[in-house]
Amino acid sequence: DTEVTQTPKHLVMGMTNKKSLKCEQHMGHRAMYWYKQKAKKPPELMFVYSYEKLSINESVPSRFSPECPNSSLLNLHLHALQPEDSALYLCASKVRLLAGEGGTQYFGPGTRLLVL
Amino acid sequence: AQSVSQHNHHVILSEAASLELGCNYSYGGTVNLFWYVQYPGQHLQLLLKYFSGDPLVKGIKGFEAEFIKSKFSFNLRKPSVQWSDTAEYFCAVILFGNEKLTFGTGTRLTIIP
């Protein structure tokens, strides 16, 4: 089973709202990722967590706040977003960082976010 | 800067035609290579991957790719495409020892029945 689940599937929010995206995997993976994908563009890395600790932040604005409460869950808290933040937000997981030949990232279906 | 190039932005083929999508990267060290596919309205799925060993790798749905180290290339091939192969295809590269998976710009494949 290589399933990564994400909720909600769609989200519409105003610029003053606070919302959260959720990602879950039960594969025992210890590395989890957030990506942002704009239409007709490749995914862009935002954050990487390893063993529930933030490992990489790709200079993402502070209005995006990641959280990894346990080894199966990854959240992305959103606050005061801008319309240009509208995109597909993808979660991915991998068995662990620097996993060599086990190092395939498996992606969830994404949350399509629209900021009004 | 390290980069991944997919020169074919949009490819249109008839069913049963042969397919080759190009992917070139500019990393200097040991790399892990991937092809992902994104069907319309669906999420990224792994087609195939190369870590080491035989440079010709086979993936799902009849796809294969060949790693040519001297050319820094990892081209995707399929001998006979089907209408259901219509999708966006992304090549991705990760430098061994690094954690950033870098994607190419993607190739949109349209198969005409």
Side-chain angles (χ1 to χ4, degrees), chain B residues 67-79:
Chain B
F67 170 52
I68 303 179
K69 189 174 181 179
S70 61
K71 295 185 178 180
F72 298 89
S73 70
F74 190 56
N75 292 352
L76 181 71
R77 299 195 292 247
K78 186 171 183 178

Side-chain angles (χ1 to χ4, degrees), chain A residues 2-98:
Chain A
T2 56
E3 189 177 23
V4 177
T5 59
Q6 290 186 244
T7 54
K9 290 185 179 179
H10 301 274
L11 179 62
V12 180
M13 61 186 290
M15 290 189 285
T16 59
N17 292 159
K18 285 185 180 181
K19 297 286 184 183
S20 296
L21 310 184
K22 179 179 171 182
C23 171
E24 196 164 2
Q25 57 86 16
H26 295 286
M27 297 178 279
H29 289 178
R30 304 311 296 273
M32 296 184 76
Y33 306 75
W34 280 116
Y35 288 84
K36 174 181 178 180
Q37 186 179 22
K38 302 283 274 186
K40 301 190 186 302
K41 297 289 187 183
E44 297 175 4
L45 182 66
M46 299 175 72
F47 302 104
V48 181
Y49 270 82
S50 174
Y51 290 86
E52 297 93 71
K53 289 187 172 20
L54 184 64
S55 178
I56 297 175
N57 177 341
E58 288 285 301
S59 302
V60 178
S62 60
R63 56 185 184 269
F64 295 91
S65 175
E67 179 198 19
C68 191
N70 61 56
S71 60
S72 301
L73 279 175
L74 185 66
N75 297 321
L76 186 62
H77 303 297
L78 314 173
H79 175 54
L81 294 195
Q82 304 297 310
E84 59 265 29
D85 296 322
S86 298
L88 180 68
Y89 288 85
L90 296 166
C91 175
S93 73
K94 187 169 82 169
V95 60
R96 64 182 183 280
L97 292 191
L98 304 180

Side-chain angles (χ1 to χ4, degrees), chain B residues 75-113:
Chain B
N75 292 352
L76 181 71
R77 299 195 292 247
K78 186 171 183 178
S80 177
V81 294
Q82 301 172 306
W83 177 79
S84 58
D85 293 325
T86 294
E88 188 87 20
Y89 291 80
F90 292 99
C91 179
V93 179
I94 191 166
L95 187 62
F96 193 79
N98 192 302
E99 272 311 310
K100 185 173 179 180
L101 183 64
T102 300
F103 287 84
T105 51
T107 296
R108 183 156 62 103
L109 176 64
T110 301
I111 305 300
I112 301 170

